[in-house]
Amino acid sequence: MTYPGDAYQAVRGGPPLAFRFNVFFFMGGIVPNPLDIRFSKVSGLSSNIDTQSLNEGGQNLYTHRLPTRIQHDNLVLERGMAIGSMLVAEFNATMSLFKFNPSNVLVTLLDETGSPISGWLFMTAYPVKWTVSDLNAEQNQVVVETMELAYQRMQAIRL
């Protein structure tokens, strides 16, 4: 038995690897800053449908579960602290001035040649949390900033 992904995997040599990706912020139609496309980790690529249970009179074997709305986890981006980042300026404006400038965010998965093979578009994304790793004089570690975004909707893109 063959599955739709089998042809792709046979040509490409297996399922895609998760360590080749880019993140693009579409802020005001400006070309993305090279500092703001590279992250070490992306998480929160998920959504689920909430359901409501409905009991049918006289039916004791099961309960109807009806879909009500789609819920999305926050998009979480991690990277080494970047100096001169426009994205940091946007997060700073949100966190210090309560000024929101929602934008669309595209996460792309890349093949071994660097060409996009899949993606996820997050529409109307805005910052909801920003953390910087602990500063510790006893450890020789990179300062990591974590950026968390809420968004209106997620659209999976398969190329």
Side-chain angles (χ1 to χ4, degrees), residues 55-69:
N55 296 324
E56 183 178 349
Q59 176 55 267
N60 296 324
L61 295 176
Y62 59 88
T63 300
H64 297 283
R65 293 181 57 198
L66 305 174
T68 57
R69 69 182 45 90

Side-chain angles (χ1 to χ4, degrees), residues 37-53:
I37 66 171
R38 296 180 186 221
F39 290 85
S40 58
K41 184 177 179 183
V42 175
S43 59
L45 303 172
S46 65
S47 60
N48 63 304
I49 297 176
D50 288 342
T51 60
Q52 178 181 8
S53 295

Side-chain angles (χ1 to χ4, degrees), residues 21-24 42 45 75 105-109 118-120 122:
F21 60 90
N22 282 328
V23 180
F24 298 96
V42 175
L45 303 172
L75 178 63
V105 179
L106 177 64
V107 176
T108 57
L109 183 62
S118 185
W120 298 265
F122 300 88

Side-chain angles (χ1 to χ4, degrees), residues 100-146:
F100 292 84
N101 187 18
S103 64
N104 293 337
V105 179
L106 177 64
V107 176
T108 57
L109 183 62
L110 309 172
D111 67 9
E112 62 278 352
T113 67
S115 300
I117 55 174
S118 185
W120 298 265
L121 180 61
F122 300 88
M123 291 169 244
T124 318
Y126 57 92
V128 293
K129 187 174 182 181
W130 186 22
T131 59
V132 176
S133 63
D134 294 340
L135 305 177
N136 186 342
E138 296 178 4
Q139 295 180 347
N140 184 17
Q141 295 180 339
V142 172
V143 176
V144 175
E145 60 184 346
T146 303

